[in-house]
């Protein structure tokens, strides 16, 4: 499990010019990040069970993508918000759900 300190290291908006990067507020986002991680793991386990019951594997391809790739593409499409950089900077300090883009980048890596 991640600590609030670790989540605070995740960037919500990149630095450019004289504007510093805006990191997440790890204490604010910890609960949402933990829930997203747990939900993704449970759903992935269900996918594996379903495929096994159908005699399929996670590595079989449909339209050039494995089942695992399709799963994570679907997750990313649902989770990544559309925000301007200015909005992303503000939400990083106030909204526990901003970490969704970070979830797409980090949770999948943690799952494997």
């Amino acid at each position: 499990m991640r600590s609030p300190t670790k989540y605070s290291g995740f960037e919500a908006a990149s630095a450019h010019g004289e504007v510093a990067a805006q990191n997440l507020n790890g204490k604010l986002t910890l609960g949402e990040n933990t829930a997203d991680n747990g939900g993704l793991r449970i759903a992935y386990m269900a996918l594996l069970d379903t495929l096994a019951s159908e005699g399929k594997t996670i590595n079989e391809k449909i339209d050039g993508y494995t089942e695992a790739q399709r799963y994570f593409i679907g997750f990313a499409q649902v989770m990544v918000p559309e925000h301007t950089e200015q909005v992303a900077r503000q939400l990083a300090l106030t909204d526990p759900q901003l970490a969704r883009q970070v979830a797409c980048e980090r949770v999948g890596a943690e799952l494997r």
Side-chain angles (χ1 to χ4, degrees), residues 2-105:
R2 294 250 181 216
S3 71
T5 303
K6 190 70 168 184
Y7 282 120
S8 293
F10 295 155
E11 255 184 35
S14 300
H16 58 85
E18 294 183 20
V19 178
Q22 178 63 60
N23 287 2
L24 295 176
N25 176 340
K27 288 182 181 178
L28 179 65
T29 63
L30 182 60
E32 284 293 327
N33 295 339
T34 301
D36 288 343
N37 193 346
L40 186 67
R41 287 176 184 274
I42 291 168
Y44 192 76
M45 291 167 50
L47 173 62
L48 293 174
D49 288 346
T50 299
L51 291 172
S53 73
E54 295 174 353
K56 298 178 182 178
T57 71
I58 197 75
N59 296 318
E60 291 182 33
K61 290 189 176 185
I62 300 172
D63 296 329
Y65 295 100
T66 66
E67 293 283 358
Q69 290 170 323
R70 294 168 65 86
Y71 176 80
F72 289 108
I73 289 169
F75 174 69
Q77 288 174 333
V78 168
M79 296 294 281
V80 176
E82 296 285 333
H83 294 304
T84 65
E85 181 182 336
Q86 183 178 1
V87 170
R89 288 178 180 280
Q90 178 62 36
L91 292 176
L93 301 173
T94 62
D95 185 355
Q97 296 199 7
L98 176 66
R100 296 195 181 288
Q101 184 168 350
V102 172
C104 291
E105 297 168 0

